Amino acid sequence: MEYRFGIKLTEREVQVCELLLTGAENPEIAKELHVKLRTVKSYFRTLFLRFGVEGGVKRVQLATLLYRKQLYYERYKASMTAILPAVTSRNSCAR
């Protein structure tokens, strides 16, 4: 298991999330992952529970949530990358 999008996910769940973010439908996801359509639906049920997604348009809600979290983490990494060289250079100057 690994942490992605701020939640602990299996490698396969991460793959399903990434395919969802590309706009893939369930049959496409099943084909890409070499699993049955029923298995993909099971992954989504688990993902909906893990992310607390409820209501009628769960796929859209999940995709929106994942996209926002992905943007947040990308911005966070970019800001940390900008900060770390400055901190590193300050530490080397202090020596």
Side-chain angles (χ1 to χ4, degrees):
M1 288 207 160
E2 63 179 281
Y3 281 94
R4 287 294 289 273
F5 308 106
I7 303 238
K8 201 172 193 178
L9 301 174
T10 65
E11 183 180 335
R12 189 59 100 179
E13 289 168 343
V14 170
Q15 292 170 332
V16 171
C17 289
E18 289 171 347
L19 287 167
L20 173 66
L21 287 171
T22 67
E25 296 291 332
N26 287 2
E28 296 168 300
I29 294 171
K31 185 177 180 181
E32 180 73 26
L33 299 179
H34 306 288
V35 297
K36 293 183 179 186
L37 185 58
R38 178 191 221 166
T39 304
V40 173
K41 290 178 181 180
S42 176
Y43 287 132
F44 275 112
R45 278 193 299 276
T46 302
L47 289 167
F48 296 149
L49 288 171
R50 287 187 191 221
F51 283 96
V53 175
E54 298 176 357
V57 286
K58 292 179 181 177
R59 280 180 64 94
V60 174
Q61 290 176 343
L62 180 61
T64 302
L65 180 67
L66 293 172
Y67 181 71
R68 287 181 179 162
K69 285 180 175 276
Q70 183 179 18
L71 286 178
Y72 170 78
Y73 286 112
E74 286 173 3
R75 287 183 188 147
Y76 176 77
K77 278 199 247 177
S79 68
M80 292 307 292
T81 304
I83 292 170
L84 289 177
V87 171
T88 305
S89 66
R90 271 190 253 144
N91 287 343
S92 62
C93 292
R95 291 181 187 169

